[in-house]
Amino acid sequence: MDLSIVDLSPVPDGGTASDAYENTVEAAQQAEQLGYSRFWVAEHHGRGERLAGTTPEVLLGHLAAETDAIRLGSGAVLLNHYRPFKVAEQFGALDALAPGRIDAGLGRANGTPAVDRALGTERRVQNPDEDQAEKIEAVASHLYDDYPEEHPYADLSIPRSGADPPVPWVLGSSPSSAGIAAELGLPYCFAAFIRPQFADYAFEDYREQFQPSRLAGGLDEPHGMVAVNAVAAETDAEAARLRAVAEATYRRMERGEVGSTPSVEEAIDELGGVPDPTPERLDDDEWPRAISGSPSTLAGLLDQLADRVGADEMMIQHVVPDHDDALRSHELLADGVGLTPR
């Protein structure tokens, strides 16, 4: 199984963004050594005291200098905030820094009204799916110099490494994003840690509607990845204890408390106890927002979820406050899945 990581650059308790970025660099280097396929970084706005992952295009440039082989990418650049040409220039520059190993993960998300105003983002457009599809196609066309000669952008160029250009991915958490990926013939990553109930529908739509791509950077056949919230520990019980943070964080979000992350002890107290361990096998209609387990348990669960939707790859996201626990989780999971160290 190809396994990857998406990192949110959480700010440690009592720490700063500098500490968060140091942890992200260490996690990327560890992922490379352990044999993970990709290391992506996220984009969140307006919560800098808790999440330092605001500008993947900046952080990826630093990661390019601190790693050698692992693919690096955005999970995701929120394209509704930006113009496609500028995004393509940024990823062209990243490709020049890390030739042939950049993924341009493209998504969309509205923030709070204040965040959207500060970014100059129009919250309501007549057809957001059509607008997003056009923007993704434009980014891909710039990245691959794929505009026809008569197009007004045909003479524009972006930085290039000479190796394979950045690979555009469509990212989302709903069937509408799957439809865009299928229409454009691009690889698709579904965020199951946001809306797991749509995972089956999204992948079904992606595969049924997929069209061989007319874009230079597109695919002839569908290729999908699922991002799941997962944490590993030596035992199922200890992993469930760490998963308490994700469970409590989701409850806080449902109450409108966005951006706050409890400690393990605070989470257990809020939940009224340690959550039950994730069973070794889920029911056919069961897809939790977070899973946990020993290396063997979690490897089996990832296989089951990948098989359920026909995913080609899996990606790990987690909410683990302690950086050492997070690194240990990645190490155990790599062993459980059987990754080959570099």
Side-chain angles (χ1 to χ4, degrees):
M1 174 190 296
D2 286 336
L3 194 63
S4 299
I5 294 170
V6 58
D7 188 279
L8 310 186
S9 301
V11 178
D13 188 33
T16 67
S18 297
D19 301 314
Y21 297 145
E22 287 180 8
N23 288 344
T24 294
V25 170
E26 185 177 9
Q29 292 172 332
Q30 182 209 43
E32 180 171 78
Q33 293 166 2
L34 292 174
Y36 283 85
S37 298
R38 311 174 194 276
F39 190 89
W40 288 2
V41 293
E43 176 179 339
H44 293 91
H45 295 290
R47 291 179 269 162
E49 76 285 354
R50 300 303 305 161
L51 294 176
T54 60
T55 50
E57 67 278 10
V58 175
L59 185 52
L60 288 171
H62 185 57
L63 294 178
E66 297 291 336
T67 58
D68 298 309
I70 194 168
R71 292 196 67 86
L72 302 171
S74 52
V77 165
L78 303 181
L79 198 51
N80 54 312
H81 297 311
Y82 313 114
R83 300 291 295 180
F85 180 56
K86 182 59 176 176
V87 172
E89 285 188 316
Q90 291 166 344
F91 278 83
L94 289 170
D95 171 58
L97 294 169
R101 59 187 183 105
I102 296 296
D103 296 323
L106 307 171
R108 68 176 177 216
N110 285 112
T112 64
V115 164
D116 286 348
R117 283 196 299 271
L119 291 170
T121 301
E122 186 179 355
R123 290 183 66 85
R124 294 178 178 84
V125 295
Q126 188 171 6
N127 187 337
D129 288 348
E130 182 179 21
D131 181 68
Q132 183 74 349
E134 290 178 355
K135 284 189 169 185
I136 292 173
E137 181 172 356
V139 172
S141 296
H142 285 302
L143 287 174
Y144 284 78
D145 194 18
D146 196 34
Y147 281 110
E149 290 185 5
E150 65 275 10
H151 195 280
Y153 296 158
D155 292 335
L156 297 178
S157 62
I158 65 169
R160 300 186 184 281
S161 69
D164 291 337
V167 175
W169 283 74
V170 178
L171 277 60
S173 59
S174 69
S176 65
S177 58
I180 292 172
E183 174 193 347
L184 297 178
L186 293 175
Y188 178 55
C189 180
F190 179 82
F193 57 87
I194 298 177
R195 294 189 182 95
Q197 69 272 24
F198 293 133
D200 292 286
Y201 303 113
F203 269 87
E204 183 178 348
D205 286 353
Y206 176 57
R207 296 190 180 281
E208 287 184 355
Q209 300 176 26
F210 184 87
Q211 303 173 31
S213 185
R214 64 183 184 280
L215 304 175
L219 304 172
D220 293 328
E221 297 179 352
H223 185 92
M225 177 163 58
V226 181
V228 298
N229 184 293
V231 59
E234 278 77 2
T235 66
D236 289 349
E238 176 59 22
R241 182 176 175 274
L242 295 177
R243 196 184 84 241
V245 178
E247 303 288 358
T249 299
Y250 291 140
R251 287 195 184 183
R252 289 185 177 190
M253 291 172 61
E254 291 172 352
R255 299 195 301 265
E257 300 177 26
V258 179
S260 64
T261 304
S263 67
V264 174
E265 291 73 21
E266 289 171 336
I268 292 171
D269 185 60
E270 288 184 24
L271 296 172
V274 177
D276 291 333
T278 307
E280 292 185 2
R281 185 161 187 86
L282 299 168
D283 293 339
D284 290 342
D285 60 350
E286 182 182 10
W287 196 313
R289 290 185 70 172
I291 58 176
S292 61
S294 66
S296 59
T297 294
L298 210 47
L301 289 168
L302 292 176
D303 276 335
Q304 181 189 356
L305 295 175
D307 289 345
R308 183 181 298 179
V309 297
D312 303 284
E313 305 182 37
M314 298 295 285
M315 177 167 275
I316 302 301
Q317 184 257 13
H318 61 70
V319 184
V320 179
D322 185 86
H323 180 57
D324 289 337
D325 286 340
L327 293 179
R328 182 59 176 156
S329 174
H330 293 159
E331 181 182 11
L332 290 169
L333 186 53
D335 182 61
V337 171
L339 299 184
T340 303
R342 287 187 174 87

